[in-house]
Amino acid sequence: GENVEQHPSTLSVQEGDSAVIKCTYSDSASNYFPWYKQELGKRPQLIIDIRSNVGEKKDQRIAVTLNKTAKHFSLHITETQPEDSAVYFCAANSNSGYALNFGKGTSLLVTP
Amino acid sequence: ETGVTQTPRHLVMGMTNKKSLKCEQHLGHNAMYWYKQSAKKPLELMFVYSLEERVENNSVPSRFSPECPNSSHLFLHLHTLQPEDSALYLCASSSIRGDRSHETQYFGPGTRLLVL
């Protein structure tokens, strides 16, 4: 089946630094790439998404870049804050259009 | 948040029990999903319903049986589960357009299931 690889699995940064999480996907038909944040004991929540017709999207401190040729996309968080600490999941839609294939998640810890 | 709700939030069951998980969405969506989230594994899609019709079934064991009576409700019936089925079961919903282009999936809070 389609595969989404996510790295790193854990990431620790100091408050104020930037954090970057990278994902690769295998299905060349994928055209929708959301990122979810899941805090401990809570549901995954969408923080940003990108479609294949753009290469970059930004929302305040969060940005996502997409390289369709290389089949990889990345999440960038600038000026990190302790409340950014959570598990982040990337995903790519499948060729059926309905399913989302998720990465294994990155546990981000922002230390004051 | 009340967009997607799930009950119960926690469930402990024996391997011979029968139980059901319930999901309800109040967002006017036309697609609903069941996911399994285990420790150190990606979110695993189990079932997808679009307009109350099952459109994906990812090789899930028959001891899990979904039911979608209408576009707002989704059930997961559980029967003779195994301890390895212990996990967080997440429901999600979204809108799917006529061209099957993907819209954002909104997740419920999940049911934490423990099978003894």
Side-chain angles (χ1 to χ4, degrees):
Chain A
E2 290 75 20
N3 222 22
V4 175
E5 299 286 336
Q6 183 172 347
H7 298 281
S9 56
T10 59
L11 180 59
S12 183
V13 300
Q14 291 249 304
E15 183 177 2
D17 288 350
S18 294
V20 180
I21 303 170
K22 298 183 178 182
C23 289
T24 60
Y25 61 98
S26 59
D27 185 357
S28 56
S30 295
N31 60 7
Y32 174 67
F33 308 91
W35 285 88
Y36 286 84
K37 174 184 179 183
Q38 187 175 26
E39 296 177 51
L40 191 63
K42 295 193 174 180
R43 72 189 78 193
Q45 291 198 297
L46 181 81
I47 54 170
I48 195 167
D49 57 14
I50 192 168
R51 297 184 191 272
S52 59
N53 56 345
V54 297
E56 185 173 359
K57 184 176 177 180
K58 192 173 180 182
D59 182 4
Q60 299 182 358
R61 296 186 297 108
I62 294 172
V64 57
T65 59
L66 171 65
N67 183 328
K68 282 220 78 178
T69 304
K71 289 194 269 189
H72 64 70
F73 56 113
S74 300
L75 178 72
H76 305 253
I77 306 174
T78 58
E79 302 170 36
T80 54
Q81 301 165 4
E83 50 266 39
D84 294 330
S85 299
V87 178
Y88 292 80
F89 293 95
C90 63
N93 64 330
S94 74
N95 55 16
S96 75
Y98 297 112
L100 284 178
N101 297 306
F102 283 84
K104 287 189 176 182
T106 296
S107 180
L108 173 65
L109 177 65
V110 181
T111 53
Chain B
E1 293 182 43
T2 58
V4 182
T5 58
Q6 288 186 244
T7 54
R9 296 293 307 277
H10 302 272
L11 179 62
V12 180
M13 59 187 289
M15 289 190 282
T16 58
N17 291 159
K18 286 185 183 180
K19 296 286 184 184
S20 295
L21 310 185
K22 180 183 175 182
C23 176
E24 186 171 359
Q25 60 94 4
H26 310 271
L27 301 169
H29 290 161
N30 56 8
M32 297 187 77
Y33 312 76
W34 278 117
Y35 287 90
K36 177 182 178 182
Q37 187 175 35
S38 307
K40 300 186 178 179
K41 282 188 174 182
L43 278 159
E44 300 171 58
L45 179 68
M46 300 176 73
F47 302 103
V48 181
Y49 277 83
S50 175
L51 299 172
E52 301 151 46
E53 180 183 338
R54 192 191 306 182
V55 294
E56 284 207 31
N57 175 354
N58 282 8
S59 303
V60 178
S62 59
R63 56 186 184 267
F64 295 93
S65 174
E67 179 190 1
C68 187
N70 56 61
S71 60
S72 299
H73 293 86
L74 184 66
F75 294 90
L76 188 63
H77 303 299
L78 315 173
H79 178 47
T80 58
L81 295 193
Q82 305 298 312
E84 59 265 29
D85 296 323
S86 299
L88 180 68
Y89 288 84
L90 288 159
C91 172
S93 70
S94 74
S95 290
I96 292 186
R97 304 199 297 223
D99 60 357
R100 289 173 50 178
S101 59
H102 220 101
E103 300 298 322
T104 302
Q105 290 187 21
Y106 294 87
F107 284 86
T111 295
R112 178 72 62 186
L113 174 67
L114 177 62
V115 181
L116 300 176

